[in-house]
Amino acid sequence: CSRDWSSDVCSSDLAQMLDAVLSHLDAATMIIKAAAVADYHRADVPTQKMKKSGARLSIELEPTIDILAEVGKRKGSRFLIGFAAETDNLVAEAKRKLETKNCDMVVANLATQAFDSNDNAVTLVRKSGATVDIAKASKLEVAHKIYDQALQK
């Protein structure tokens, strides 16, 4: 797709990202997936600049490839960690993602606090149903604590 007139995430880019992830899956024992680049993309990306006409416009969106779900279908005995940046119902949404994406653990955080900061607080939701709160700390410290929890499988 053209990048000349749109900053849209192209479905072909996501397909390449999925291929890259799957090409390394066989060698992995643990997969830690970052949050999705985007959940939706423009259905029809223009190849030329859209001239201003004063008319109201609507943009049709379609879902992007769900790389986490695709990995979840193929993970076998590998330990899969997903992320959930949410605005509400943090634990409930993490549990939903845990089941629908076949994750072993989901790292949930409030989207309103996760970005534009070097610190974060998260809640880990495990397949067993257990939750682990990790208090606000530097993102590096939080990452180490997530990894420590993952090693406990």
Side-chain angles (χ1 to χ4, degrees):
C1 83
S2 171
R3 294 281 181 153
D4 296 341
W5 305 107
S6 170
S7 63
D8 188 40
V9 174
C10 298
S11 59
S12 62
D13 293 342
L14 291 172
Q16 288 177 355
M17 194 181 300
L18 174 62
D19 288 344
V21 170
L22 294 179
S23 73
H24 295 284
L25 191 60
D26 285 343
T29 56
M30 180 185 297
I31 303 109
I32 303 172
K33 289 294 299 141
V37 174
D39 292 329
Y40 292 90
H41 66 99
R42 286 185 62 169
D44 182 24
V45 179
T47 58
Q48 299 177 357
K49 178 183 176 188
M50 296 174 61
K51 306 278 191 229
K52 186 174 182 177
S53 68
R56 185 177 178 97
L57 298 175
S58 296
I59 299 172
E60 185 176 345
L61 302 175
E62 53 187 37
T64 58
I65 297 169
D66 191 331
I67 296 173
L68 179 61
E70 291 301 319
V71 171
K73 291 176 189 174
R74 298 168 169 85
K75 74 176 189 110
S77 62
R78 295 167 190 87
F79 193 81
L80 178 59
I81 303 171
F83 282 73
E86 302 294 338
T87 55
D88 57 3
N89 301 319
L90 188 66
V91 173
E93 286 301 312
K95 286 180 179 179
R96 181 193 61 76
K97 184 174 267 192
L98 188 80
E99 292 179 24
T100 60
K101 315 281 183 170
N102 195 26
C103 294
D104 297 290
M105 186 167 72
V106 172
V107 179
N109 57 350
L110 291 172
T112 56
Q113 298 173 6
F115 307 106
D116 297 326
S117 173
N118 291 324
D119 299 326
N120 201 4
V122 301
T123 299
L124 307 181
V125 179
R126 302 183 67 93
K127 196 170 215 162
S128 67
T131 60
V132 177
D133 291 321
I134 297 178
K136 188 174 185 178
S138 75
K139 288 182 178 177
L140 181 59
E141 290 176 69
V142 171
H144 284 289
K145 291 178 182 181
I146 293 168
Y147 187 66
D148 290 343
Q149 284 292 316
L151 291 177
Q152 294 179 22
K153 296 184 182 183

